[in-house]
């Protein structure tokens, strides 16, 4: 197995940093591997602390009648256009990820989010793009109510909140740019009348 010999911080930003890992590969050769991380210091990156924690949260929320799913259409700099996503955001220091989910839904969409209890397996933090980052996100599931609003959004965010039915979900999957976590969830939403039924299966 490869060995990480040293972690060298390359940037010093608040929300995202680049770290150079000085490594010895399994064949004995040495080199560098660059990792993006939410950590602010080398000891915060997962390969240094060796524990899993949710940096962020992704929210899969539907209306109480189960006929619409909550999405956001957000401008993203890396692709210089809008992409369809599930509501999501970072977990603040000391904040429970479920609390973060409620907060993020309200900030991005104006709606009130009520999480449901599911097997912890479904909320377990998962890696986003593990070949380039140690970022982990937990997924929280539940129901939304209220009226869509952009009044609580940060001034720098370019987000359009949407309530999407199954027909529109299929169109989005066929025709639009969609983030992977969003696509995986609305693929199921498009064909299943009970969005959370699979979480109750033995």
């Amino acid at each position: 197995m490869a060995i990480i010999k040293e972690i060298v911080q390359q940037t010093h930003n608040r929300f995202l940093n680049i770290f150079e890992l000085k490594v010895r590969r399994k064949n004995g050769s040495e080199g560098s591997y660059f990792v993006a991380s939410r950590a602010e210091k080398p000891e915060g990156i997962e390969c240094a602390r060796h524990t899993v924690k949710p940096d962020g949260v992704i929210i899969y929320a539907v209306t109480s009648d189960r006929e619409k799913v909550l999405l956001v259409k957000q401008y993203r700099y890396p692709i210089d256009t809008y992409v369809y996503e599930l509501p999501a955001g970072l977990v603040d220091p000391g904040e429970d990820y479920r609390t973060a989910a409620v907060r993020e839904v309200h900030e991005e969409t104006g709606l009130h989010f009520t999480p449901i209890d599911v097997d912890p397996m479904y909320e377990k933090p998962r890696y986003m793009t593990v070949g380039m980052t140690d970022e982990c996100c937990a997924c929280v599931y539940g129901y939304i109510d209220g009226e869509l609003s952009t009044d609580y959004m940060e001034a720098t965010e370019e987000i359009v909140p949407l309530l999407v039915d199954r027909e529109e979900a299929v169109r989005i999957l066929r025709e639009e740019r969609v983030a992977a976590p969003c696509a995986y969830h609305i693929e199921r939403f498009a064909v299943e009348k009970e969005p959370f039924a699979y979480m109750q299966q033995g």
Side-chain angles (χ1 to χ4, degrees), residues 1-200:
M1 188 170 82
I3 296 172
I4 298 170
K5 300 171 62 179
E6 185 182 3
I7 303 172
V8 181
Q9 189 162 356
Q10 299 292 314
T11 62
H12 295 83
N13 298 309
R14 181 180 173 192
F15 295 113
L16 184 69
N17 285 294
I18 303 297
F19 296 86
E20 179 184 5
L21 309 183
K22 306 277 190 176
V23 303
R24 180 180 296 124
R25 304 180 186 95
K26 69 174 187 176
N27 66 359
S29 65
E30 298 194 353
S32 294
Y33 196 98
F34 292 88
V35 177
S37 178
R38 298 291 185 183
E40 294 187 42
K41 297 179 180 178
E43 57 267 27
I45 191 170
E46 186 173 328
C47 63
R49 67 175 194 267
H50 296 286
T51 58
V52 180
K53 69 174 183 65
D55 299 295
V57 63
I58 300 169
I59 302 100
Y60 179 40
V62 299
T63 52
S64 58
D65 63 5
R66 301 165 179 78
E67 292 300 317
K68 292 185 178 179
V69 63
L70 179 62
L71 303 183
V72 293
K73 186 177 180 182
Q74 183 164 196
Y75 174 82
R76 292 295 194 180
Y77 287 107
I79 59 174
D80 190 27
T81 191
Y82 285 84
V83 61
Y84 285 83
E85 303 178 60
L86 297 177
L90 296 178
V91 177
D92 290 339
E95 184 180 38
D96 175 80
Y97 65 84
R98 281 184 153 214
T99 302
V102 173
R103 174 179 55 77
E104 286 291 344
V105 168
H106 191 255
E107 288 176 1
E108 293 187 357
T109 73
L111 298 175
H112 301 286
F113 174 60
T114 304
I116 62 170
D117 291 324
V118 299
D119 186 311
M121 172 181 71
Y122 293 105
E123 289 187 339
K124 186 177 178 181
R126 307 290 184 185
Y127 300 104
M128 299 302 291
T129 309
V130 75
M132 61 183 291
T133 177
D134 67 340
E135 184 181 34
C136 266
C137 287
C139 192
V140 180
Y141 306 82
Y143 296 99
I144 33 92
D145 62 75
E147 298 292 327
L148 290 174
S149 171
T150 57
D151 292 347
Y152 309 97
M153 202 176 297
E154 293 181 17
T156 56
E157 292 180 311
E158 293 186 50
I159 297 174
V160 180
L162 304 161
L163 288 173
V164 171
D165 63 19
R166 288 175 172 82
E167 182 179 353
E168 177 65 0
V170 171
R171 187 201 67 78
I172 289 168
L173 288 167
R174 290 186 188 279
E175 301 177 7
E176 305 289 352
R177 290 177 171 88
V178 185
C182 177
Y184 300 149
H185 282 90
I186 66 173
E187 284 168 3
R188 294 196 73 141
F189 172 79
V191 298
E192 296 178 354
K193 290 296 183 184
E194 292 293 333
F196 306 126
Y198 66 96
M199 298 178 189
Q200 278 81 51

